[in-house]
Amino acid sequence: MHTRILQINEDSLNESKDIILNGGAVAFPTETVYGLGANAFDGSAVENIFKIKGRPCDNPLIVHVHNDYDISNLVSYVPEYAKLLAKAYLPGPLTMVYKSKGKVSPAVSCGLDTLAIRVPSHKGAQEFLKHIGLPVAAPSANVSKHVSPVTAEHVFSDLNGKIEIILDGGKCVGGIESTVVDCTSDIPVILRSGLITREMIACVAGDCGEYSLKEGESARSPGMKYKHYSPLCETMLFDFCDRKKAEKKYEECIAAGVNAYILCDGATANSIKAKKILNLGESEAEIASNLYFKLREGEKKAELIIAISPEKQDGVMAGVMNRLTKACKN
Ligand code: TXA
Ligand code: MG
């Protein structure tokens, strides 16, 4: 199959609609990362997405809908706090999990009785979803366990030959996947951290829990248990307090002829004596936005990425730390 990267216009949207209505998959941009979308009502189209990615079949997908879509078609109960969250943060990088009405294919939620719904704010994503006119099930458009794609070229390098079209919406500004919040309990519970932070959710909903997987327990969000987001080269992660050890490791590598790069934020980069640095930038938004971009740049030119954690680890940095830890887990 020949894979084409297309600008978003009437022609490419018409072609995308044909593909989706015929059971195929199309990659499209969102404000977080690129998604690989299929018709959520079509079981074999959804199953095909799992095959294309090599995704484990117990890791459910998020359904993406246009801003005007009435989600009461798909879910049975929307608590008051979820309505407030939707009003405050949608469209945007927040995915909400509800009790499902069972209208979409059971393959979307891998047999769970819940459904994750997301309304992306990216202009191209909204145009795509409006044009399709159906809920679109979409995981990130990477090969399973690889770093999520934040440019059309990243999608191409993972899925070339496996899909027909990649809609190009430029570099994703958010840079890490949406916050996933479970809205089936009395209070919202974060299943995956992201750009909409725990503090932002608690501020609107009055309270916010955070779910962590305990040893031996079955995961409430099955995606949590998998190794994720890993670059193709070797990686190591040093805590901010151990940044001098990271610098020493880098020096040893360079002396031994190992092509190592340090990945860290701008402030840390200024305090470190290393020539080869993958600089994530200064502000929290920049660091999140550049994380996957720099991991993908790093895997192309480095044999080893020596990552240093940011000093601050709450708010948006909680999401960055979650991804960085998973990227560097062996
Ligand atoms: O930003 C994003 O969310 C991107 C873009 C493309 O929208 N999508 C994304 O999809 O990251 P994916 O498939 O890579 O991650 C979906 C996450 C997984 O951790 C999965 O376990 C969780 O959402 N999830 C999906 N449905 C769920 C459900 N019914 N209950 C609990 N967790 C669910
Ligand atoms: Mg993913």
Side-chain angles (χ1 to χ4, degrees), residues 77-300:
Y77 175 61
V78 178
E80 215 43 51
Y81 69 77
K83 289 181 190 156
L84 296 174
L85 288 173
K87 196 159 174 242
Y89 300 123
L90 297 187
L94 179 66
T95 295
M96 303 211 260
V97 176
Y98 300 105
K99 283 278 174 234
S100 176
K101 273 189 173 167
K103 295 281 163 67
V104 300
S105 160
V108 172
S109 291
C110 305
L112 297 174
D113 62 357
T114 53
L115 184 65
I117 299 189
R118 161 153 152 72
V119 187
S121 61
H122 189 288
K123 187 170 164 279
Q126 281 292 315
E127 282 171 0
F128 170 72
L129 293 166
K130 186 164 191 148
H131 210 81
I132 303 297
L134 288 167
V136 168
S140 48
N142 51 288
V143 165
S144 187
K145 301 187 178 60
H146 192 205
V147 180
S148 294
V150 295
T151 66
E153 290 72 28
H154 291 164
V155 180
F156 187 85
S157 80
D158 274 27
L159 301 182
N160 180 21
K162 295 182 176 171
I163 56 173
E164 281 181 60
I165 289 185
I166 300 166
L167 294 175
D168 190 349
K171 183 177 176 229
C172 303
V173 176
I176 58 172
E177 300 85 348
S178 62
T179 306
V180 178
V181 61
D182 185 338
C183 297
T184 63
S185 309
D186 294 346
I187 61 161
V189 177
I190 292 181
L191 301 177
R192 178 176 74 184
S193 51
L195 297 172
I196 305 293
T197 63
R198 184 175 187 172
E199 295 77 5
M200 288 164 76
I201 292 174
C203 163
V204 170
D207 201 354
C208 179
E210 192 151 10
Y211 182 73
S212 62
L213 184 60
K214 292 176 195 74
E215 196 79 29
E217 203 180 52
S218 72
R220 193 146 144 199
S221 183
M224 302 177 83
K225 66 177 189 255
Y226 292 108
K227 177 179 157 75
H228 261 104
Y229 323 118
S230 298
L232 300 171
C233 65
E234 263 192 73
T235 49
M236 294 177 87
L237 178 60
F238 286 85
D239 198 66
F240 179 78
C241 314
D242 292 329
R243 59 198 182 284
K244 286 286 153 203
K245 286 187 195 155
E247 193 175 343
K248 189 159 172 277
K249 176 75 194 170
Y250 168 84
E251 281 162 5
E252 284 167 8
C253 286
I254 298 300
V258 176
N259 188 20
Y261 275 75
I262 288 192
L263 176 114
C264 62
D265 61 40
T268 308
N270 289 335
S271 71
I272 274 205
K273 289 197 290 308
K275 277 210 188 101
K276 297 181 183 185
I277 291 193
L278 298 159
N279 190 332
L280 296 171
E282 307 292 331
S283 69
E284 293 190 9
E286 263 182 287
I287 293 169
S289 177
N290 288 326
L291 182 68
Y292 289 155
F293 191 83
K294 290 289 173 184
L295 283 171
R296 284 209 178 228
E297 183 185 324
E299 72 180 6
K300 278 198 173 159

